[in-house]
Amino acid sequence: MSQYKVLSCGSNGLGQLGIGSDDDQDTVQECKFEGFNEISMKPVSIACGGNHTLILFESGQVFASGDNTYGQCGVDVDNSRSKYLSFVKIPGSWVQISCGWEFSVLVNSRNEVFVCGNGLKGELGLGKKTTSIREPTKVDINFPSKIKAIKSALNHTVIQLTNGEFYGWGVSRKGQLGVDREKITWVPAQINWGLNLNLEQYKFVLGRDFTVLYNDEFHLFGTQNKISDMIESCTYSKRQLSIWSMWSSIHIIDADGKVVFLGNNSHGQKFPSTCVSNSQLFCTGSEHGLTKLENKVYAWGWGEHGNCGVLKKEDEVVFSNLNEIYQNDNIIDLACGCATSWIITKN
């Protein structure tokens, strides 16, 4: 039977790395799961909030660690534990997850959406009267088709349905939830992107206060001046795009492996190469990224909390070049969060 490991490093002030302590880590550490000495189920998704983390396994189980001040870990409804230093199981069976700054979103096989945590600006989607909830609570909406994907940024959530429709809630004042929206969308509402396009085959990513839809082209919604100012001059092969977002920037990777960076590069966010290979793993977090080349994992970007590895000097927190943080022949996936880095291995 295969055995999996989840490894992490970076910001850990409230235990969000799930390694049994709350100290920041600049070297990769193995995560701990309460009730399990070994993991035989495959991790399929890692969602990171401001200071908490959810991991979804192929079995449908979700484990949470980190800040639980507002119940965002979805476990302790009696308010007795403000944080979890190791991963603990959230009751229920789930198929998708996402996290915002202080909230979590879970989707079950019945196409139902549950939320928990804190959201003063509509982040929970439960209406103006409910801005904090400790127990995972069902959002009052019936979608017309199956949920294809769900993602959350700091303060907004977007759901894509298999029929091509999009729904969202949370902060919308900059246009990240489409056109003709109030500053806050308190309950899930269908998004009008103002595009006369069939969006069934489109994918999407979220930044801090923007949303990007993409297929063989991309459309940016929200106020991101640095990205918007650079769009006119960027060139790429307009086929089979993948796009990765940070808080204030995006990386476009086209079918030829060419990497185009648009946005804020004040802390080394730009990938230190112009191309990637088809076999190369690639992901981005708040203001840093990870990539796997052969059997090594490299980090770049803003690494103040150890998420990009050991600092060369205490005051040099930017990694403008790829910095090796881990080596193993059995690496199968990578993930990034808010100054956290994640590696999954299979033995």
Side-chain angles (χ1 to χ4, degrees):
M1 181 180 293
S2 299
Q3 300 295 329
Y4 297 90
K5 289 184 179 180
V6 181
L7 310 163
S8 60
C9 65
S11 175
N12 195 38
L14 291 169
Q16 59 266 41
L17 295 182
I19 59 174
S21 75
D22 56 3
D23 297 320
D24 287 2
Q25 300 293 326
D26 57 13
T27 56
V28 172
Q29 307 291 322
E30 184 175 351
C31 300
K32 302 178 184 298
F33 294 82
E34 291 189 8
F36 293 87
N37 293 322
E38 295 181 333
I39 303 173
S40 59
M41 47 191 178
K42 181 180 179 180
V44 294
S45 179
I46 297 178
C48 301
N51 293 290
H52 73 290
T53 308
L54 302 188
I55 301 179
L56 170 66
F57 291 85
E58 61 182 352
S59 62
Q61 297 181 74
V62 173
F63 286 76
S65 70
D67 185 15
N68 195 47
T69 302
Y70 302 101
Q72 55 263 59
C73 285
V75 182
D76 176 30
V77 298
D78 296 325
N79 198 26
S80 61
R81 294 182 66 174
S82 62
K83 63 182 177 181
Y84 288 92
L85 303 184
S86 300
F87 281 96
V88 293
K89 185 179 180 299
I90 297 177
S93 180
W94 310 99
V95 295
Q96 295 193 57
I97 56 173
S98 68
C99 289
W101 188 249
E102 294 177 328
F103 66 95
S104 301
V105 188
L106 304 106
V107 178
N108 64 20
S109 60
R110 296 185 296 277
N111 220 42
E112 297 171 328
V113 177
F114 287 75
V115 295
C116 56
N118 189 55
L120 301 179
K121 299 178 180 179
E123 293 93 334
L124 299 181
L126 297 175
K128 292 183 179 181
K129 295 182 179 180
T130 306
T131 57
S132 186
I133 192 80
R134 297 194 66 84
E135 183 175 6
T137 301
K138 184 178 180 297
V139 177
D140 186 19
I141 186 170
N142 294 314
F143 296 105
S145 68
K146 188 174 178 60
I147 295 172
K148 182 178 181 179
I150 180 168
K151 296 180 181 179
S152 299
L154 270 71
N155 305 111
H156 74 290
T157 294
V158 173
I159 286 178
Q160 180 184 23
L161 304 183
T162 54
N163 69 357
E165 294 178 1
F166 285 80
Y167 287 75
W169 63 88
V171 174
S172 47
R173 66 186 180 91
K174 293 190 176 182
Q176 58 265 58
L177 291 178
V179 299
D180 301 324
R181 281 273 168 238
E182 299 294 332
K183 292 183 178 180
I184 295 175
T185 300
W186 289 99
V187 296
Q190 187 174 354
I191 299 174
N192 175 17
W193 297 116
L195 300 173
N196 186 23
L197 295 170
N198 182 350
L199 298 177
E200 287 187 26
Q201 301 304 315
Y202 274 69
K203 299 179 181 179
F204 70 102
V205 294
L206 308 185
R208 180 174 54 198
D209 52 13
F210 64 89
T211 301
V212 177
L213 305 185
Y214 68 95
N215 189 358
D216 290 340
E217 58 183 9
F218 72 94
H219 303 272
L220 174 70
F221 298 89
T223 304
Q224 272 299 321
N225 292 334
K226 289 190 177 181
I227 298 177
S228 301
D229 292 344
M230 301 167 79
I231 287 176
E232 294 279 336
S233 60
C234 74
T235 59
Y236 53 88
S237 172
K238 293 188 176 182
R239 57 188 178 91
Q240 299 176 28
L241 298 180
S242 65
I243 293 183
W244 297 87
S245 62
M246 295 184 180
W247 276 358
S248 54
S249 62
I250 61 174
H251 289 80
I252 304 168
I253 304 177
D254 66 19
D256 300 321
K258 179 182 177 181
V259 179
V260 176
F261 174 84
L262 303 176
N264 180 18
N265 191 34
S266 61
H267 289 77
Q269 294 97 325
K270 182 179 180 180
F271 182 60
S273 179
T274 58
C275 61
V276 297
S277 67
N278 290 332
S279 61
Q280 187 173 346
L281 294 177
F282 188 99
C283 66
T284 56
S286 52
E287 301 290 15
H288 79 291
L290 297 178
T291 189
K292 172 182 172 288
L293 292 170
E294 297 179 345
N295 67 341
K296 295 179 180 179
V297 176
Y298 297 87
W300 81 93
W302 182 65
E304 181 179 8
H305 294 283
N307 45 298
C308 293
V310 179
L311 300 177
K312 295 178 181 179
K313 294 182 181 180
E314 187 175 345
D315 59 342
E316 291 184 5
V317 299
V318 172
F319 290 79
S320 299
N321 298 311
L322 294 178
N323 184 53
E324 182 184 337
I325 66 169
Y326 186 69
Q327 179 177 348
N328 190 299
D329 290 331
N330 301 312
I331 300 164
I332 63 168
D333 208 356
L334 305 175
C336 294
C338 296
T340 59
S341 298
W342 304 83
I343 300 169
I344 298 174
T345 65
K346 175 184 177 181
N347 295 323

